[in-house]
Amino acid sequence: MSTQQGQDAKFFQRGKIEEFRAELQAAEAKDKKFQKRKTVLKKIVANITMGNDMSPLFHDVIQCIGTPLLEIKKMVYLFLVSYGRSKPDQIHLVIPSFLQDCNDRNPLIRALAIRTMSYIPIPVVTEALTDQLRHCLKDRDPYVRKTAAICVAKVYTADPRKAERKGFVELLRDMLIDENATVVSNAVAALSEIGDRQDGVIFKLNLTIANKLLSALGESSEWGQIYILDSLLRYVPEQHADAEMMAERVIVQLQHANSAVVLTTIKVLLYLMNYMGDRRLIDYICRKMGPPLVTLLSSGPEVQYVALRNILLIIQRRPTVLKNDVKAFFCKYNDPIYVKLAKLEIMYRLAREENAREVLAELEEYASEVDVDFVRKAVRSIGRLAIKVEPAADKCIESLLKLIETKVTYVVQEAVIVTKDIFRRYPGKYEGIIPKICENLDALDEPEAKAAMVWILGQFADKIDNVEELLDDLVYSFLDEPAEVQLAHLTAVVKLFIYKSQSEVTKALVHKVLKWATEDIDNPDLRDRGFMYWRMLAMNPAVAAEIVLAEKPAITTDSDRMDRGALDQLLLHTGTLGSIYHKNPETFIRNAAGRALIDSPALNANSRAVLVSLARPQLPPIAISVSGPGPVEPTRPPQPSEAANNVPLPTIMESSRSDERDLLDVEGDDGAGGDSGEGYLEGDDDGPVTKAADPYASLGGAFGGYVTDVPQPVAGGSRGGDLDDLLL
């Protein structure tokens, strides 16, 4: 094989169209064993691979399609896949050869023909493919059947409604019980691709079909196992026992060598756990999921990163999965920076009182690394650890003070930022370290660090002796600071005035800052806050003190957690791009259908409380039939364009949508999100439509939905109802 590859390397040289054409024409004369044609076609395919345009040879290449040699036929079909759609005026020349090959005695040629036709989404080719594809779906050879299954997905992509009317989806459904595991896995792959489209049919499974798919799991390839496992998410258990039985059959796949199979198995188990009632079985599954996830960390850096991003989601939903494996996420010296940052976040998530000492010691080592971003993240993680684990707070403060003494600029700034949060978390406990922090005012040059320092000075203005001097020094560059620092300055000097209202220095300082904020600043937020403070201090300083010095709630780590409903949604995309971006695929993939847990009697109460409902958008109908004569407008005769629009059109969509609704509904349910055939015509028959006299009358809602252009997370307060927040 290697010798053959070495011989083929000589074909990867840029050639001229005229030379290839001449060689093909010369090969027709004396080429009994077709060796010359094969050589020329190899050169052409090599040039296609290198990105050279070989489309001018279309007519010459298709002359070789009738050659009985399979190797030549493969190269001709590869050429057609590359340039067939760009030659719609010449593609009809090869359709007779396509049809002839679809009925060839060799199953490889039959499969090759329909596969090539499905890759050319031109109406004349699709029309010729329809009957042949139906025969190939029932072919006696499993290789042809499994190829035909994938071709259905291609045909559906080219013309969804036609594929539904021709009954291809029902034929795919029947292939789910085929005796060949490869055919079953390809049918599942095709149905999954169709079901993941927003305009596709709803692909659901019942218990019988799900069990048959599990039976085919052991004989399938790794690729097929991934599709079969992923399709199990389309089965909604009605009883706890059904989910538990299926989980016991799936859990053996955790031992698979392929990381994609392992992640897909974990996705299925996490999904089924929402429908289980046996607490001991759930704990057992969580313990079994830990070792495979840790094993993934011994792979290459790219696989590690994918595993780490998925683990970050999993431990937020099921913390017991890796609660004793925090050491597995300690960083290695040769880890890429993106792997180190991901491990750092997981270490913080897994930190608790029992392992806080080990985690803190590891973070202290990271804080002395050479990579600036990694050091910043490590220092910030020390502060977050102090906020999360109260018994470890004293040790974390000691560690932060040691880091401040290093006088490294970016370390000091990160330490100041997290110290502010620690003061909020433990009021009245660690004020003794303020003098140490104030010694490093000159090292602060980043907006977030400056704002944190100014907040500390204002909050503890009654406990710092020379606070007026410190704030006066910082205020010197007030007009040049970012808005974040200016807002902190404004609030800090007002707090200082409330604490020390008799000091002339304080009065001058607060007057200067308020004057700048209200007269020299263009930022409306800053200017409005300046006016508000000025009026409160002028009218009633006591009320101003109550507002500005009001007791602040202690901060917690709850804000670090993702919304439970959004988390359940993301876990349905474990092992995909959605789990890496931590976004639902419908927010960044066009026409992708959303996923969410579906309610059933077996669904846990906690999962039901945060259930997210998804509605699939309906297709616009071709025509809307309204009974009655319709509105009459005697004052103005209809224009030619309007008369053309009033010609009745065949209402094809009505039957199409009803077929789509029930095509794969094995259990008779309406499917996820309530995909009903009604609702999208609402408001269309309220009355006659007349032209508005006001040219701006139709702009009422023109700016209502501009925010939806930006992908946003699910709102924290939603509990399975507000579709405006869930579907962008």
Side-chain angles (χ1 to χ4, degrees), residues 229-425:
L229 287 168
D230 190 69
S231 70
L232 295 180
L233 271 65
R234 303 173 189 275
Y235 165 66
V236 183
E238 295 295 327
Q239 298 178 359
H240 295 317
D242 295 341
E244 292 162 4
M245 178 273 295
M246 189 164 293
E248 290 173 355
R249 296 185 64 181
V250 167
I251 199 170
V252 297
Q253 298 297 323
L254 289 175
Q255 303 172 10
H256 205 284
N258 188 297
S259 56
V261 175
V262 172
L263 282 176
T264 310
T265 303
I266 290 173
K267 172 168 60 176
V268 175
L269 292 173
L270 290 169
Y271 167 73
L272 292 174
M273 276 193 265
N274 292 295
Y275 297 91
M276 291 183 192
D278 189 345
R279 189 70 229 175
R280 287 181 298 178
L281 180 59
I282 293 176
D283 293 339
Y284 170 75
I285 293 174
C286 287
R287 290 196 302 271
K288 295 290 285 185
M289 284 195 295
L293 286 172
V294 173
T295 303
L296 292 178
L297 300 181
S298 61
S299 306
E302 293 81 10
V303 176
Q304 276 191 64
Y305 183 70
V306 172
L308 291 169
R309 293 295 287 175
N310 283 276
I311 288 170
L312 191 54
L313 291 175
I314 292 169
I315 61 177
Q316 290 183 64
R317 180 65 179 86
R318 303 285 178 183
T320 57
V321 172
L322 292 163
K323 68 176 183 179
N324 298 320
D325 295 304
V326 68
K327 288 186 178 180
F329 300 97
F330 287 175
C331 299
K332 300 176 183 177
Y333 74 95
N334 58 347
D335 281 339
I337 182 61
Y338 56 89
V339 171
K340 286 183 176 180
L341 294 177
K343 285 184 175 180
L344 207 56
E345 181 66 21
I346 293 174
M347 284 171 55
Y348 161 72
R349 298 279 182 185
L350 294 176
R352 49 199 175 97
E353 186 176 350
E354 291 79 8
N355 58 22
R357 187 181 297 274
E358 297 173 346
V359 173
L360 179 59
E362 195 73 12
L363 292 175
E364 288 176 345
E365 285 191 27
Y366 300 159
S368 60
E369 293 277 350
V370 295
D371 190 285
V372 175
D373 292 334
F374 185 52
V375 171
R376 286 176 180 273
K377 186 82 170 179
V379 174
R380 190 161 295 203
S381 295
I382 293 174
R384 294 171 69 195
L385 181 64
I387 295 170
K388 180 181 180 181
V389 185
E390 185 172 354
D394 292 342
K395 293 289 184 183
C396 292
I397 290 293
E398 293 176 10
S399 178
L400 288 174
L401 290 177
K402 291 178 184 177
L403 293 172
I404 290 175
E405 290 174 358
T406 62
K407 303 297 182 181
V408 180
T409 304
Y410 54 86
V411 173
V412 172
Q413 296 190 109
E414 288 294 331
V416 170
I417 293 169
V418 296
T419 302
K420 183 199 79 167
D421 294 333
I422 293 173
F423 287 153
R424 288 282 308 275
R425 175 68 175 87

Side-chain angles (χ1 to χ4, degrees), residues 213-235:
L213 293 181
L214 284 173
S215 300
L217 200 59
E219 302 175 16
S220 301
S221 63
E222 295 175 348
W223 178 85
Q225 288 180 23
I226 293 169
Y227 270 106
I228 290 176
L229 287 168
D230 190 69
S231 70
L232 295 180
L233 271 65
R234 303 173 189 275
Y235 165 66

Side-chain angles (χ1 to χ4, degrees), residues 22-322:
E23 290 181 22
L24 281 174
Q25 292 172 355
E28 294 179 3
K30 297 179 180 180
D31 193 17
K32 293 183 179 180
K33 295 185 179 181
F34 309 108
Q35 291 301 318
K36 293 182 180 179
R37 295 187 194 183
K38 186 164 67 171
T39 302
V40 179
L41 287 172
K42 282 185 177 181
K43 293 179 181 178
I44 294 173
V45 171
N47 274 263
I48 295 174
T49 307
M50 292 188 295
N52 301 328
D53 183 19
M54 296 285 111
S55 58
L57 294 171
F58 187 89
H59 191 272
D60 301 278
V61 172
I62 63 175
Q63 301 297 324
C64 304
I65 199 170
T67 306
L69 199 62
L70 180 60
E71 192 173 358
I72 290 181
K73 198 175 287 287
K74 284 182 178 180
M75 288 189 284
V76 174
Y77 278 162
L78 182 59
F79 183 92
L80 290 172
V81 168
S82 301
Y83 298 114
R85 69 179 65 192
S86 63
K87 299 287 185 179
D89 53 334
Q90 300 181 41
I91 197 65
H92 67 278
L93 299 174
V94 296
I95 289 180
S97 299
F98 278 144
L99 299 179
Q100 181 180 349
D101 287 348
C102 286
N103 296 298
D104 196 274
R105 298 175 64 181
N106 188 340
L108 294 178
I109 294 179
R110 295 201 298 272
L112 190 62
I114 59 166
R115 181 168 58 199
T116 305
M117 293 176 75
S118 67
Y119 272 94
I120 306 175
I122 296 176
V124 63
V125 179
T126 306
E127 189 64 34
L129 173 64
T130 303
D131 291 334
Q132 301 301 327
L133 183 57
R134 182 177 287 106
H135 293 310
C136 289
L137 286 169
K138 300 177 181 179
D139 196 277
R140 63 184 181 275
D141 192 281
Y143 181 80
V144 180
R145 295 201 301 274
K146 69 105 174 175
T147 305
I150 297 298
C151 292
V152 171
K154 298 292 182 184
V155 172
Y156 197 96
T157 302
D159 192 347
R161 305 288 80 83
K162 182 176 181 179
E164 291 174 9
R165 289 196 302 271
K166 296 295 184 180
F168 287 135
V169 182
E170 288 93 332
L171 291 172
L172 273 183
R173 179 192 60 189
D174 296 340
M175 294 174 74
L176 294 178
I177 56 175
D178 195 280
E179 67 273 7
N180 187 283
T182 307
V183 175
V184 172
S185 59
N186 279 34
V188 169
L191 284 171
S192 298
E193 184 172 337
I194 293 171
D196 286 340
R197 294 168 55 98
Q198 286 188 342
D199 59 347
V201 296
I202 299 173
F203 175 28
K204 289 173 35 178
L205 299 176
N206 62 9
L207 183 59
T208 304
I209 299 296
N211 283 327
K212 288 185 179 294
L213 293 181
L214 284 173
S215 300
L217 200 59
E219 302 175 16
S220 301
S221 63
E222 295 175 348
W223 178 85
Q225 288 180 23
I226 293 169
Y227 270 106
I228 290 176
L229 287 168
D230 190 69
S231 70
L232 295 180
L233 271 65
R234 303 173 189 275
Y235 165 66
V236 183
E238 295 295 327
Q239 298 178 359
H240 295 317
D242 295 341
E244 292 162 4
M245 178 273 295
M246 189 164 293
E248 290 173 355
R249 296 185 64 181
V250 167
I251 199 170
V252 297
Q253 298 297 323
L254 289 175
Q255 303 172 10
H256 205 284
N258 188 297
S259 56
V261 175
V262 172
L263 282 176
T264 310
T265 303
I266 290 173
K267 172 168 60 176
V268 175
L269 292 173
L270 290 169
Y271 167 73
L272 292 174
M273 276 193 265
N274 292 295
Y275 297 91
M276 291 183 192
D278 189 345
R279 189 70 229 175
R280 287 181 298 178
L281 180 59
I282 293 176
D283 293 339
Y284 170 75
I285 293 174
C286 287
R287 290 196 302 271
K288 295 290 285 185
M289 284 195 295
L293 286 172
V294 173
T295 303
L296 292 178
L297 300 181
S298 61
S299 306
E302 293 81 10
V303 176
Q304 276 191 64
Y305 183 70
V306 172
L308 291 169
R309 293 295 287 175
N310 283 276
I311 288 170
L312 191 54
L313 291 175
I314 292 169
I315 61 177
Q316 290 183 64
R317 180 65 179 86
R318 303 285 178 183
T320 57
V321 172
L322 292 163

